[in-house]
Amino acid sequence: MTRNATVASDAGDALTATVRGLLPSLTPAAARIAQLIVEDPAQVARSTISELSALAGTSESSIVRTARALGFAGYPELRLALAASAARQAPRSTLSSGITPEDSPGEVIAKLVNTESQAVLETATQLDPEQLLGAVTAVCGGGQLHIAGVGASGLVAQDLQQKLARIGRPCHAHGDSQSALTSAVLLGEGDVFLAVSHSGESRDVLEPLRRASAEGATTVVITNHPLSTAAKLADFVLVSAGRETTFRPGAMASRISQLVVVDCLFVCVAQRTLDTSSRALRITHQALESDRAH
């Protein structure tokens, strides 16, 4: 379990956020256990291994293996962590439930704001400062920087490209696999290829990511799933956290949390290159102000 997953008390469900991110990468038996953890960590914490085995419809040995897959020595350690996590959580409210066709506009607003806020807090618990530092160092290295993302992740890639351009860091954002691939094969040592993928399994970014890595470029991935194929290919993994709910599929669930990661990366790069970035921001701001005056 990462340092962030065991610390931040602001978002009491840091542990369940981690488990939620790992769900797609688990075996069917482990996924049933993990789903129970996500849905009611307090109940799992109260359950003996025999009781949880009955609830999940799986063997006790599967529970032990799942606990170890989540980074714990065994089930007792997992129960203890879940009890601590559950104690930090605020009582569940109707705001955490999915949006229904009967919800009023006011209820939609309240539920969406609650979910988006949780995504921001949970991302803070999942984003590893050491991984972020490694990505920042690579981006500040001065080589070529290419960013890839398709669909909603493509919008996030464009947002990062625009931010970095404003502080004088040239980079290219690719919204389709062919453009990303033809750029990736021309990269080399000192260059950076950054992929944005909620699932970490998008074929549109996996092949460019593989080729960039094979050519010696540093690879960075922003993803919701730390055990995904993309995460395994990357040198540095920046984990976001976003929940899918009714009327709010993965594309929406990932966007806010990915933008939090993008902002953290951008600000850290701006800090590292303060003289250059300050000058660039001043010049670009003056240019925009001058354009508005005409």
Side-chain angles (χ1 to χ4, degrees):
M1 193 60 54
T2 64
R3 182 198 67 82
N4 282 16
T6 56
V7 177
S9 58
D10 292 0
D13 52 356
L15 176 54
T16 53
T18 299
V19 175
R20 188 182 300 110
L22 296 176
L23 259 171
S25 305
L26 299 175
T27 64
R32 290 198 296 274
I33 299 164
Q35 190 62 46
L36 289 173
I37 292 173
V38 169
E39 292 173 354
D40 196 344
Q43 181 186 27
V44 176
R46 293 192 300 268
S47 301
T48 66
I49 192 168
S50 299
E51 291 169 338
L52 182 58
S53 175
L55 283 171
T58 188
S59 66
E60 294 184 9
S61 59
S62 292
I63 294 173
V64 174
R65 285 194 296 271
T66 301
R68 290 173 178 169
L70 296 176
F72 297 94
Y75 182 56
E77 291 77 12
L78 173 59
R79 284 184 72 187
L80 184 62
L82 285 171
S85 179
R88 291 194 298 266
Q89 291 186 41
R92 290 177 177 266
S93 73
T94 56
L95 292 180
S96 62
S97 61
I99 295 172
T100 69
E102 293 77 26
D103 284 339
S104 68
E107 290 170 323
V108 170
I109 292 170
K111 287 186 176 182
L112 278 179
V113 168
N114 178 72
T115 305
E116 307 266 348
S117 299
Q118 281 301 114
V120 172
L121 290 173
E122 290 178 10
T123 296
T125 70
Q126 303 306 299
L127 186 55
D128 187 334
E130 293 301 317
Q131 293 289 306
L132 178 61
L133 177 60
V136 169
T137 301
V139 169
C140 292
Q144 294 187 63
L145 171 59
H146 289 262
I147 309 165
V150 177
S153 293
L155 299 177
V156 175
Q158 291 176 25
D159 182 79
L160 178 57
Q161 186 273 332
Q162 188 271 339
K163 283 181 167 68
L164 292 175
R166 283 292 303 272
I167 60 172
R169 178 56 171 101
C171 54
H172 305 275
H174 306 281
D176 66 273
S177 59
Q178 291 187 343
S179 175
L181 182 59
T182 54
S183 297
V185 297
L186 297 177
L187 299 180
E189 188 174 350
D191 297 327
V192 179
F193 187 87
L194 189 154
V196 185
S197 174
H198 171 73
S199 68
E201 301 295 343
S202 172
R203 295 176 59 186
D204 293 311
V205 299
L206 286 179
E207 188 57 26
L209 192 63
R210 287 191 183 95
R211 296 300 297 271
S213 180
E215 297 300 329
T218 299
T219 51
V220 181
V221 166
I222 298 175
T223 182
N224 204 73
H225 301 297
L227 294 182
S228 62
T229 303
K232 293 174 183 176
L233 289 170
D235 295 308
F236 300 104
V237 181
L238 308 181
V239 181
S240 56
R243 307 184 191 188
E244 295 186 18
T245 61
T246 310
F247 302 118
R248 194 171 184 274
M252 291 177 66
S254 63
R255 188 185 69 249
I256 294 298
S257 53
Q258 287 175 345
L259 288 173
V260 171
V261 175
V262 161
D263 284 349
C264 290
L265 179 63
F266 165 72
V267 170
C268 288
V269 169
Q271 283 181 319
R272 183 73 68 89
T273 59
L274 186 59
D275 291 341
T276 302
S277 59
S278 296
R279 179 177 180 276
L281 282 172
R282 184 174 66 255
I283 293 173
T284 54
H285 177 73
Q286 290 171 348
L288 291 174
E289 286 297 308
S290 176
D291 182 65
R292 293 190 188 103
H294 291 85

